[in-house]
Structures are given as C-alpha cells and as structure tokens.
Amino acid sequence: MPRAGDPWAERLEQLDRYIEDEPKRDRRRRRWRWTVRIAAGGLFAFILLVGWLAVTAPLSRSLEPIAPPQLTLLASDGTPIARNGAVVDEPVRAADLPPHVIEPFLAIEDRRFYSHWGIDPRGIARALWSNLTGGPTQGGSTITQQLAKFTFLTPEQSLTRKAREALIAFWLEAWLSKDEILERYLSNAYFGDNTYGLRAASLHYFYRHPENLKPEQAAMLAGLLQAPSRLAPTRNFDLAERRMRLVVAAMVDAGYLTAEEAGRLPTPRLDVRRRNELPTGTYFADWALPEARKLTGNGYSEQTIATTLDSRLQGIARDVIARAPLGTAQVALVAMRPNGEVVAMIGGRDYARSPFNRATQARRQPGSTFKLFVYLAALEAGMSPEDAIDNSMIETGSYRPRNASGSYSQSLTLEQAFARSSNVAAVRLFEQVGGEAVIDTARRLGVASPLAEGDPSLALGTSTMTLMELTAAYAGIAGNSFPVRPHAFVEEEPGWFDWLWNGRDSLSRGRHEAIERLLRSAINRGTGRAAMLRAPNFGKTGTTQDNRDALFVGYAGDLVVGVWIGNDDNSPLAGISGGGLPARIWRDFMARALGETRAPARPRPTPSPDPAGPVQPQDVPQIGDIPLGEGGSRLRVDGGGATLSTEVGGMPVDVRLDRDGLALEPGAAPRDDPPQDTAPR
C-alpha cells in the first residue's frame, strides 16, 4: 500500500484510475464522432434538398397562372370560333389592396399568417381538435402551404405530398416576403366558374377591380376558397351567402370587425357581365389549341389568335355533311391549301356526343388512295402513263388479290389501270418497282405512319394512317412541293435561305404532269366519276376490305380535300364505296367552295297535292352526271359534248358524242376495287 504523501504512489493511483476510465472515454469519443457524422450527413442532405427544390420547384412557377389563361381562336376573317382555358387576369399587389379586402382571407384561411414560418402548429392542433371533437371540419394548411400545394404539387392525399408541401412552404418563407407570398396566393387561387385569381374573380362576380371591392364583396370572395365549384354565387347564391356570414364571424373573432360592424354588412349583389357563349372546343379547336399555347406562351392575360380556318368553307362543310345520307356511319372531312393551311375540318357527325377527331386521331386503312404512291414510284422509276401492265388474274404466289369488278384483261396502260383502280395491276406494279421504293415515295410525301415492309398488300392500302396525313400527301402533289405539314396558323413565307435548306422536294415537270394525268383520269373515266367538276380536278377513290372504309381524296383550284366514311367499330358499311358517297360529298363541297354551285335552297313546307303520299324525286344533283337505270350506266354532259358510260359483255365502254362525231373507247367500271385477301397467305 502506497505511503501517504508519496508522490509516486499518487501518480500510480491516478494512472490506475485513467486506465479504468479509458472505456468510458472511448464511448464518449465514438458518440462524438457519430454526432459529427450525423450532423454532417444532415447538412449534406439539407444541401441536396435545397438543390432539389431549386430544380423541381423554381420560384418562377409561383408567378405563373396555375391554369392556362383563356384563349380565343378566330377564323381567318376574325370570327370567333372557340374559347378555351381559364378566366385569369393580372396579379394583385398587397400594397394596393385595402385592409378590408385582405382581412377576410386572413381571418378564414390563416389568421397567424404574418407570424408563422410557413407551418402553424397551433393551427394544425386547432384543426385536429375541432375534427376530433365533432366541430366544423377545418384544415391546418397555412396560406404558404396552399400556395406550395397548388403551384408545385399534385392534389394527391398522402404523407409524402404533405411532407413535400411543408418543405416547400419553409423554402418559400425563406426566399419571399410575406406580402409576396400573399400576392401570389391571391393571384392564383381558384374562385369557381373557371375563374382563377382575385382580380379575375372580382371582375367576374362584381365587375370591379379588387382595389375597389366593398367589405361584403371581399368577404364573399374569401368564402369561396373552401369549395369554389359548389359555393360559386352564380350557381348557388344561398350557400355563398351563408359562407360569407361565416367569414364575417371569423373576422369578428380575429378582431378585424366589431359585432356591430359585422351586423351592418349587407348581402352583396352580383354584377356578372362576362358571358362565354362560344364553345370551349370544336374538332378544329382541339387540334389547333396545343400549337396555339406554344405561340402565346405563359401569362395572365387573355389572348386571341387568328387561325387558318375559313368560316365560309367550314359552313359549307357542315352543311354538306348534314345533307349526306350517312345512315349510322361516321364521317370526316379535311380541307387545306396546297401549303398545308387547314381551312375546314369535320371530325365526326356530332362533337358534343363524340369529340374524338376522326380526321386527325383515327388511324384507318386508306385503301386504293394509297395507290398514288405506287404509281408515283413507277413514274419515278422511268415508266410512263402509256406503259402496259398485266391485268390478268394472279394465279401464283401466296398473295392473290382480286379485282372487285371481276373484270380482267391481258394488259392495261398505267393510266387505265389507275383509273379503274385495278388491284392486280397495282400489286404487280408494286412488285416491279419494289416495296422499298414505294415506302420511300410515301415518306418523301410526308407519310410518317408505320408501313409494312415486304407486304404486297401495302399496294392496296392496308397500312393505317390518319385522313389528315393522307390529305397532306395529296397536297404535296397539288403544289408540287413536299412534304406538307398541316398547320392551323399562318406561317411566314420562307426566305431564299430557308427555301434552300428546308428539305422540301418536288417532282420534275414531266413526272408531275404524268401523275396529275393519272389523277385526272380517275375522275374523267374511272372510279371517281361522281366527283367530277366543271373545273379541272384530280383525285382518287379508296375502299377497304368489306367496305369498312370509303374515301375520296383530291384537289381542284387551291383546295385539297379528303373525305372518309366508316364505322367507329370498323364494321362494314352498307353499300358505300369510295366512288359513291365520299366522292359526292367531295364534289358537293368543292362545287360550292369554288363557286360552281350555290347552297341549295331549303324547301318550304307546302301541302301535298296528292293525299296518297309524297313524291320521291330522283336524286340528280346536277345535269353533268345522270344515272341511267339500275345497271350502273351513266350519262355525263360537259361543255364539249356527252359521254355514255356502260358495260358491254362485262367490259366497260364509253361512247362519246361531241363536235368531232361519235367515238367508242374502252371505259372504266364506276367501281372502286377494295383490297381482296389483304393478309398474305
């Protein structure tokens, strides 16, 4: 035992105690190291969180309207055609608003707004207690949290979303002043009736700017924020008034009003002067709106923008479609200029019942209208309209299409085969020039839809595409400049530099004349006779397997028009082919659009002179194309003479009488050949 007062003994004792305490010191050091690591990790996570918020929730987003502002589309003559988007107006400034306008919002939404840091624990506790004790349902979100929610987040109800909401609220409080937060909140909040922001709401409901609102008007607007759609005073004024009285009571409780002042506040009177009588959507407007939003950009102001739609032509299209005997079938029509400006559009029989646009969204088989690409590929390979192609039945191979007319011959010229829409000739031509050449031709003309490679049925139009896409390809032929991009807004004329580098292509003069010769023959002597006009016109019929789709696409003057008829469930049409009703719709539209005929007079109801029943007149729209009997014979009268089209022994024959005398020439059966046995076998 060490002696008392021995310094060495005391040192040994201290050393023993130090050794005994070493494990405790190690534990403290480990705890300190972990504390430092956790703090560093938390700091690093905070830095990452700030960076994440800077990327995913930029402050600039709180300055933008949360709903696209109202946009009015005009026809080319300035006629309004559709209005879409929310009613918004310029943001408000807190400094310009009188206290009696701000106080109702603070009293009912966030009384401690100017004292909390984005989240109000007292407000959350009060809301929880009220909800648990059966009191009026309350929410614990502050104004800052609400701004974070409708500016940066989705409306989903989850703990993750609430956590993000709280983080963004702290972030907004750190970077913005209280007045800036309040301004952005009031300028974006929804007030019902498709109206966003305090300025738009005060103008909508009371026709005055928010700076001039009366106290009772401001109280009613503040009350709408709880359930804007249900409380909108234009729809349910009694509920809006009861909610306003609740807001006034909250103002008394918060000390903004005395009970006597609250009792003197009258019920406000509405002054709604804005009316929206335009449709919010049409087939054309739905198609044009995405591009219009790109042109106008983001902002609070309502905007109007002129489109390429021609109100006169659109009216003609509607009238022609309404008069067509469609039965239960659907219909689509697209009219455009050769440069791609869309001037009329019908996407279906009734937009209100079905806004699905069959002109731009439906992908259907084009049938024989696709033969344009086959024959153009042949012309570009060096062939001419006078060259012969075998028109006999295909007896070998796995794919053996048939001509719908049942008529065959040893050979036809390309012009005759195109006019008659011979299936066997088109397939042989497809195999002769090669499927790659045909697909390349379609691509150059702007067809972007998938096209089956190595499938000879492609020649008969078995790959699907939209009517808009197909019509634009024909527009490229009409203007001899392709590909054509359909558009709804006027584009600037390209300069010489753009003209050199825009990648547009064209046909040589000889090839362009040759393909137009084929398109002209399809109407003059072929399946498209029902589309004949007095002016030069060019086009092609199309009918798919089992008459599931019937089309006519062509051009005349400065218009290129495509017409499609079919059933949405892809069931067969009852007796409708491309050379029938679609061609007649195309002709009726074109004749009125180009001024060849006027709108038919609407018959006035008159007493029937024969009580036995009404007289059914023969449907002869104009003297230029008269059906004769039930055998398919027709008499066509033009300025130079008359042509009788009939069949002799199953072969089509045209008998022509004009100033040069009587002439007999091979004709074309007025039928369109749908593809037969379209699937390779």
Side-chain angles (χ1 to χ4, degrees):
M1 183 174 181
R3 290 175 300 179
D6 187 347
W8 289 104
E10 292 178 358
R11 290 179 181 178
L12 288 173
E13 186 177 355
Q14 291 174 355
L15 181 60
D16 289 340
R17 287 197 300 270
Y18 181 82
I19 293 173
E20 291 176 357
D21 293 340
E22 183 64 24
K24 297 180 181 179
R25 287 194 295 274
D26 286 342
R27 288 195 295 271
R28 286 196 295 269
R29 282 195 293 268
R30 285 196 297 270
R31 283 197 295 269
W32 174 250
R33 285 196 296 268
W34 277 109
T35 300
V36 172
R37 290 172 182 172
I38 292 173
L43 179 61
F44 182 70
F46 178 76
I47 294 173
L48 288 179
L49 178 63
V50 171
W52 171 73
L53 287 174
V55 173
T56 61
L59 280 173
S60 60
R61 283 182 56 182
S62 63
L63 287 172
E64 299 173 359
I66 64 173
Q70 194 171 88
L71 176 65
T72 302
L73 297 180
L74 309 176
S76 57
D77 62 356
T79 303
I81 57 176
R83 183 170 289 134
N84 188 281
V87 180
V88 299
D89 214 307
E90 292 299 318
V92 296
R93 294 185 68 251
D96 297 336
L97 296 175
H100 69 259
V101 172
I102 295 177
E103 289 166 355
F105 292 93
L106 299 180
I108 197 65
E109 294 294 328
D110 189 359
R111 296 183 191 178
R112 288 170 35 82
F113 171 70
Y114 280 98
S115 59
H116 62 63
W117 283 82
I119 295 177
D120 186 8
R122 288 169 53 182
I124 295 174
R126 184 174 61 250
L128 287 174
W129 177 255
S130 178
N131 296 338
L132 290 173
T133 58
T137 302
Q138 296 185 15
S141 294
T142 65
I143 283 178
T144 312
Q145 286 177 277
Q146 294 180 55
L147 176 63
K149 178 174 63 177
F150 62 60
T151 303
F152 301 103
L153 302 174
T154 62
E156 65 170 328
Q157 297 293 332
S158 66
L159 292 176
T160 302
R161 202 269 295 161
K162 293 296 291 184
R164 294 184 67 197
E165 177 185 302
L167 289 173
I168 295 175
F170 281 129
W171 185 63
L172 290 173
E173 292 277 352
W175 289 96
L176 300 175
S177 68
K178 286 291 187 178
D179 281 351
E180 288 175 328
I181 293 173
L182 182 62
E183 290 168 356
R184 299 182 188 204
Y185 170 75
L186 293 177
S187 298
N188 282 288
Y190 182 49
F191 287 85
D193 271 7
N194 198 34
T195 304
Y196 290 80
L198 180 60
R199 188 173 303 280
S202 60
L203 288 169
H204 174 64
Y205 292 115
F206 303 112
Y207 200 64
R208 58 175 58 205
H209 284 283
E211 293 82 4
N212 301 321
L213 283 172
K214 297 179 180 179
E216 61 271 19
Q217 294 170 335
M220 178 168 280
L221 290 176
L224 302 183
L225 297 181
Q226 182 191 53
S229 298
R230 183 171 61 90
L231 296 173
T234 51
R235 301 183 180 184
N236 198 330
F237 187 82
D238 292 339
L239 279 180
E241 182 185 11
R242 286 201 294 270
R243 178 66 179 172
M244 183 208 78
R245 293 301 171 187
L246 186 62
V247 172
V248 172
M251 294 178 69
V252 174
D253 189 51
Y256 295 130
L257 291 176
T258 65
E260 183 180 357
E261 291 172 333
R264 290 200 302 264
L265 284 183
T267 299
R269 297 178 57 184
L270 298 183
D271 186 3
V272 180
R273 304 187 187 186
R274 295 186 175 190
R275 295 284 187 250
N276 188 357
E277 298 176 354
L278 287 178
T280 57
T282 65
Y283 289 116
F284 179 85
D286 289 354
W287 174 69
L289 190 64
E291 187 66 24
R293 290 293 180 197
K294 294 179 183 178
L295 294 175
T296 56
N298 294 324
Y300 284 88
S301 61
E302 299 178 14
Q303 299 192 44
T304 59
I305 182 169
T307 69
T308 58
L309 191 78
D310 188 306
S311 56
R312 181 183 73 90
L313 297 179
Q314 182 68 15
I316 293 173
R318 283 196 301 264
D319 189 49
V320 167
I321 294 298
R323 294 173 181 271
L326 293 165
T328 59
Q330 279 290 350
V331 64
L333 181 149
V334 172
M336 66 177 67
R337 306 293 182 192
N339 65 358
E341 292 182 356
V342 177
V343 294
M345 178 185 292
I346 302 291
R349 299 179 63 173
D350 190 341
Y351 177 87
R353 292 186 177 183
S354 174
F356 178 73
N357 194 332
R358 294 155 188 85
T360 62
Q361 295 175 287
R363 307 183 69 85
R364 303 294 289 254
Q365 291 183 353
S368 292
T369 58
F370 189 86
K371 292 175 183 176
L372 169 75
F373 309 113
V374 178
Y375 281 78
L376 182 55
L379 294 175
E380 293 194 306
M383 301 183 72
S384 69
E386 295 83 9
D387 287 341
I389 188 73
D390 188 354
N391 189 46
S392 62
M393 292 183 63
I394 298 177
E395 304 289 355
T396 60
S398 60
Y399 180 57
R400 302 179 185 181
R402 298 289 183 265
N403 288 341
S405 65
S407 299
Y408 301 91
S409 60
Q410 184 175 357
S411 67
L412 290 173
T413 65
L414 263 62
E415 183 176 356
Q416 292 171 332
F418 188 84
R420 300 183 189 186
S421 198
S422 169
N423 284 338
V424 295
V427 170
R428 285 193 171 98
L429 199 59
F430 178 88
E431 292 175 341
Q432 185 173 334
V433 300
E436 291 183 0
V438 173
I439 293 176
D440 179 66
T441 300
R443 296 292 185 224
R444 288 168 53 211
L445 283 166
V447 175
S449 294
L451 299 175
E453 298 181 4
D455 183 357
S457 71
L458 177 65
L460 308 183
T462 56
S463 289
T464 61
M465 63 184 65
T466 66
L467 180 65
M468 178 73 80
E469 194 175 6
L470 180 63
T471 306
Y474 275 73
I477 299 297
N480 196 18
S481 179
F482 47 85
V484 170
R485 186 186 69 85
H487 51 278
F489 304 97
V490 177
E491 298 180 344
E492 295 183 3
E493 290 294 330
W496 67 270
F497 184 82
D498 296 325
W499 181 79
L500 287 174
W501 297 101
N502 64 5
R504 298 178 73 84
D505 200 355
S506 61
L507 302 173
S508 66
R509 180 176 178 181
R511 288 171 183 167
H512 188 248
E513 290 177 350
I515 193 63
E516 285 202 320
R517 178 176 166 182
L518 300 185
L519 291 167
R520 180 72 171 143
S521 69
I523 295 178
N524 280 355
R525 296 181 297 279
T527 57
R529 288 173 179 169
M532 182 173 291
L533 301 170
R534 290 198 294 268
N537 54 336
F538 311 83
K540 185 69 184 75
T541 57
T543 310
T544 63
Q545 183 75 23
D546 296 328
N547 291 61
R548 299 179 188 276
D549 303 271
L551 305 96
F552 188 91
V553 186
Y555 57 92
D558 64 343
L559 288 174
V560 187
V561 178
V563 178
W564 168 87
I565 297 176
N567 292 315
D568 286 339
D569 61 1
N570 206 30
S571 60
L573 296 165
I576 298 178
S577 64
L581 187 55
R584 293 197 298 273
I585 291 175
W586 187 93
R587 177 200 60 200
D588 293 345
F589 174 83
M590 280 293 203
R592 289 175 56 181
L594 301 177
E596 291 190 2
T597 61
R598 296 182 179 180
R602 297 186 179 275
R604 296 181 180 180
T606 57
S608 173
D610 182 3
V615 177
Q616 297 287 345
Q618 187 180 16
D619 183 15
V620 183
Q622 60 184 31
I623 196 171
D625 189 2
I626 305 174
L628 301 176
E630 298 180 357
S633 299
R634 305 185 75 85
L635 177 64
R636 293 181 291 111
V637 182
D638 54 39
T643 302
L644 173 65
S645 301
T646 185
E647 290 189 8
V648 178
M651 293 297 295
V653 174
D654 284 351
V655 180
R656 175 72 177 174
L657 178 63
D658 53 24
R659 296 177 182 177
D660 297 329
L662 189 66
L664 181 67
E665 59 183 39
R671 303 175 60 185
D672 185 44
D673 283 355
Q676 302 291 316
D677 301 325
T678 53
R681 293 184 294 186

